[in-house]
Amino acid sequence: MTSTTVHTRPTRGRVRGVLAYANLRRRHLGSVAFVTNRITGLLLVGYLYLHLGILYLLTEGPRSWTTVLHLFKNPAFLGLESLLILFILIHGLNGLRLALVGTGVGVRHQKAWFATAMSVSGCLYVVVVLAMYGVI
Amino acid sequence: MAPESGTAVSRTWRLRVSRWRPGDAHPHFDDFEVGVGADATLLDALRRVRSHHDRSLTLRYSCCHASCGTCGMRANGREVLACVTRLADLGPGPILVEPLGNARVEHDLVVDMRDLYVSLEPAGRPLVRQDSVLAGQDETAASPGFFRYEDCIECGLCLSACPVAATDPLYLGPAALAAAWRVTQEPRGGDPEPVLAWVDDEQGCWRCHASFECSEACPSGVDPAGATMALRRELTRRELGRLTRLGRRAR
């Protein structure tokens, strides 16, 4: 027998809670869906505040607003914007799955629901990106 | 030495076992190399550790055939019953062996199960007598979930796997909710209304975030997540019915 590494036993508290909340080690598809919805939700909340911050620039006069509009046309910014649409699609469609499953509809097929939601999100995202960059 | 169980073919497995005893500042891992049969279970290996390497290793087990639910633990991060988990299914190793999560550790791999048992009490859990099943009644026709929910062995694996139980110690947990649904489906002369009122709470069935880890972990196929969603469906149906009746009266 060899005594090896020391690890810290998790205690009930915020640190343990947050770590357990996002820990996907050896977890299943349901947990992936669960964490995906939380992460995209937090990102969308972050974007909301960013959006409000940008709108605030309207109060600073036409010059600052023109600068912002110029930034929006940058291809890199378009890429970030397309990610925003991806997060909205994932969060929205996974949210729909949760609403259905959470009220007892198609509970046994929750994995298939998630796979469908992610597939539809992916397809729509490709279409959106192609449209944003003027390919279609 | 001859292997303790399984076939005559012995193989050496490396186990990394979480150790903690009251008074220790922190838990730590001890590594053991154990020779057991190629088709041996995790429980076989841990018993081998106790008998040949370290008699102070504390673990709990009883029936050795997945009926008592006492040997629940985590192997490589997943909840298992050690008595029916083959070492060969856990990969080449080292196999990480830890106590169940979301419960207070009492000693090494043994956790305090009282929280789980206390959480099950309000459901009532009426006993199902064998004679009523043998009397020729078509119980399954009246209640499709009848046999399924009877399968709960109260091992606590679902509670350990639940991410919400990890963040909220007040959450009733999947085992209690599955028991509640079982009672609702099969009240056995009891009144299911108090049970439904009990789970219709922010710490009850509405607290579940639908990660379905409880159903994945359950060794008996009880499907606690399905039971939780069924409780929600039932409560939603009742609330919609109440609102409809109120609307009719208002008209």
Side-chain angles (χ1 to χ4, degrees):
Chain A
M1 183 200 78
T2 9
S3 194
T4 54
T5 45
V6 171
H7 66 96
T8 308
R9 180 164 300 286
T11 53
R12 284 196 188 278
R14 286 181 185 171
V15 173
R16 180 196 178 194
V18 172
L19 288 177
Y21 205 76
N23 183 12
L24 285 179
R25 187 176 66 119
R26 308 286 290 178
R27 292 301 167 196
H28 300 84
L29 197 60
S31 278
V32 174
F34 166 71
V35 172
T36 301
N37 228 39
R38 268 71 198 167
I39 290 172
T40 51
L42 286 171
L43 288 168
L44 290 175
V45 168
Y47 170 75
L48 177 68
Y49 283 102
L50 183 67
H51 181 67
L52 291 173
I54 289 168
L55 284 181
Y56 170 76
L57 292 175
L58 278 171
T59 64
E60 300 291 304
R63 200 169 172 180
S64 61
W65 185 244
T66 309
T67 313
V68 172
L69 285 181
H70 185 72
L71 176 67
F72 285 172
K73 289 176 183 169
N74 186 308
F77 196 89
L78 278 179
L80 287 175
E81 208 162 54
S82 77
L83 282 180
L84 169 69
I85 291 164
L86 179 66
F87 295 151
I88 290 171
L89 286 169
I90 290 174
H91 193 78
L93 291 174
N94 194 27
L96 187 63
R97 162 191 166 269
L98 277 173
L100 289 169
V101 168
T103 44
V105 179
V107 178
R108 289 184 188 278
H109 307 293
Q110 58 93 11
K111 288 182 182 176
W113 281 116
F114 182 64
T116 307
M118 293 304 102
S119 304
V120 172
S121 299
C123 293
L124 289 175
Y125 177 64
V126 170
V127 173
V128 165
V129 168
L130 293 175
M132 282 177 89
Y133 286 94
V135 179
I136 54 172
Chain B
M1 278 176 233
E4 193 158 271
S5 73
T7 64
V9 182
S10 184
R11 183 181 155 181
T12 301
W13 304 86
R14 192 169 171 214
L15 304 181
R16 179 164 287 179
V17 184
S18 178
R19 307 296 304 273
W20 183 86
R21 65 183 61 193
D24 286 357
H26 299 289
H28 65 277
F29 288 109
D30 283 344
D31 284 1
F32 301 96
E33 291 195 350
V34 209
V36 285
D39 63 347
T41 65
L42 178 57
L43 182 59
D44 293 331
L46 290 169
R47 289 171 68 185
R48 183 83 174 176
V49 169
R50 264 187 63 81
S51 58
H52 290 82
H53 298 268
D54 185 350
R55 293 204 60 80
S56 72
L57 176 67
T58 310
L59 66 150
R60 185 161 48 201
Y61 63 92
S62 182
C63 74
C64 299
H65 59 260
S67 281
C68 68
T70 54
C71 64
M73 57 187 70
R74 285 179 294 169
N76 289 340
R78 276 196 180 162
E79 286 71 17
V80 296
L81 289 181
C83 66
V84 289
T85 303
R86 292 174 69 240
L87 291 166
D89 295 334
L90 294 172
I95 297 164
L96 189 67
V97 187
E98 298 168 283
L100 290 178
N102 303 331
R104 192 176 61 80
V105 177
E106 293 197 320
H107 213 296
D108 294 341
L109 301 173
V110 175
V111 297
D112 186 349
M113 300 291 282
R114 278 177 295 187
D115 281 351
L116 173 73
Y117 301 147
V118 167
S119 78
L120 288 167
E121 284 308 316
R125 294 177 298 163
L127 293 173
V128 178
R129 297 189 309 274
Q130 200 175 26
D131 59 348
S132 68
V133 180
L134 297 175
Q137 300 167 18
D138 189 3
E139 302 272 4
T140 50
S143 167
F146 172 63
F147 287 107
R148 185 57 61 198
Y149 291 113
E150 273 308 296
D151 286 342
C152 179
I153 55 173
E154 299 170 20
C155 58
L157 265 60
C158 55
L159 195 62
S160 173
C162 176
V164 179
T167 58
D168 186 352
L170 297 177
Y171 175 46
L172 289 181
L177 292 171
W181 179 240
R182 149 85 180 85
V183 170
T184 307
Q185 289 294 92
E186 183 67 26
R188 294 257 149 194
D191 182 9
E193 294 304 320
V195 176
L196 278 171
W198 170 55
V199 299
D200 187 12
D201 185 84
E202 62 179 301
Q203 303 297 347
C205 66
W206 303 108
R207 188 76 179 85
C208 171
H209 286 186
S211 77
F212 289 86
E213 287 298 339
C214 52
S215 294
E216 298 278 2
C218 180
S220 299
V222 167
D223 190 15
T228 306
M229 299 307 139
L231 282 168
R232 287 181 177 182
R233 184 182 62 221
E234 178 63 17
L235 290 167
T236 305
R237 191 183 64 77
R238 285 170 179 239
E239 185 63 15
L240 287 175
R242 191 183 68 83
L243 291 173
T244 308
R245 283 192 299 277
L246 278 176
R248 278 186 193 144
R249 272 185 219 154
R251 271 186 270 143

